[in-house]
Amino acid sequence: MPAPVAYFYMAIVTLGGATLFWSFSDGRAGNLMFDGGSAFLYGTTVVVYLYSVLPNFFANFTSLPLPFTSPTPELPANSHPPSFPPFPQSLRAPTLDLASSHLICSVALTGVLALQAGRWWAEQADIDEDDEDEMLGGEETEDAKLRTRESSPAFVDADKKQK
């Protein structure tokens, strides 16, 4: 690929990683769980790409004569068009390795998307609960009371013992 396209690609990867690590700054446990898993999968993708895809690509696919056509003399008007020669046997294994590495990268990046969608869904559930509490006029629901420290059985028992 031309150098400007490679630099653009590297900038997109760097921006994606920086955005993912920037979301850690929130510090909430839910974010740490979802973003930690996403960072692991994103890092796995970068490592697979750097240590498997790029070396394979540069070793086997940079000096290929493309397309793989064989020169044919002028054909009569009613003949079949020239066919492509068979795929080179020496490139079968490197092509399968390249495809396998790209499959690993795509599955890992799909996992990043799934984790970020799960994070969004979990945050929406929290927002919906907060909105529900506000709609009740500030009164706490029984579920909200159970979630607070003051209404926990251990806290109530400690208050009774002090009195």
Side-chain angles (χ1 to χ4, degrees):
M1 79 177 84
V5 175
Y7 292 139
F8 178 73
Y9 181 69
M10 296 277 249
I12 294 296
V13 170
T14 303
L15 180 66
T19 303
L20 190 61
F21 284 109
W22 177 53
S23 66
F24 273 123
S25 66
D26 190 5
R28 293 189 320 210
N31 285 355
L32 295 177
M33 179 182 66
F34 288 113
D35 291 341
S38 295
F40 175 77
L41 290 174
Y42 197 83
T44 300
T45 301
V46 170
V47 167
V48 167
Y49 203 80
L50 289 176
Y51 291 103
S52 182
V53 172
L54 291 179
N56 186 1
F57 183 78
F58 288 127
N60 299 304
F61 296 99
T62 54
S63 62
L64 297 176
L66 296 176
F68 296 124
T69 58
S70 58
T72 55
E74 289 293 321
L75 298 173
N78 60 356
S79 68
H80 296 290
S83 63
F84 289 105
F87 193 77
Q89 188 67 26
S90 63
L91 291 179
R92 288 183 191 262
T95 301
L96 289 175
D97 289 342
L98 194 64
S100 297
S101 297
H102 276 103
L103 180 63
I104 291 168
C105 291
S106 68
V107 169
L109 291 175
T110 302
V112 170
L113 290 174
L115 283 169
Q116 292 303 309
R119 173 185 167 195
W120 175 83
W121 181 73
E123 287 177 352
Q124 287 303 112
D126 289 344
I127 290 170
D128 291 344
E129 284 180 8
D130 292 343
D131 289 345
E132 182 181 308
D133 289 343
E134 286 178 13
M135 287 176 49
L136 294 173
E139 296 177 17
E140 289 187 84
T141 63
E142 191 62 34
D143 290 337
K145 288 179 185 176
L146 291 175
R147 287 190 305 251
T148 62
R149 180 175 177 256
E150 290 80 17
S151 64
S152 70
F155 190 79
V156 171
D157 289 339
D159 275 350
K160 287 180 184 177
K161 289 178 184 177
Q162 287 179 356
K163 292 179 182 180

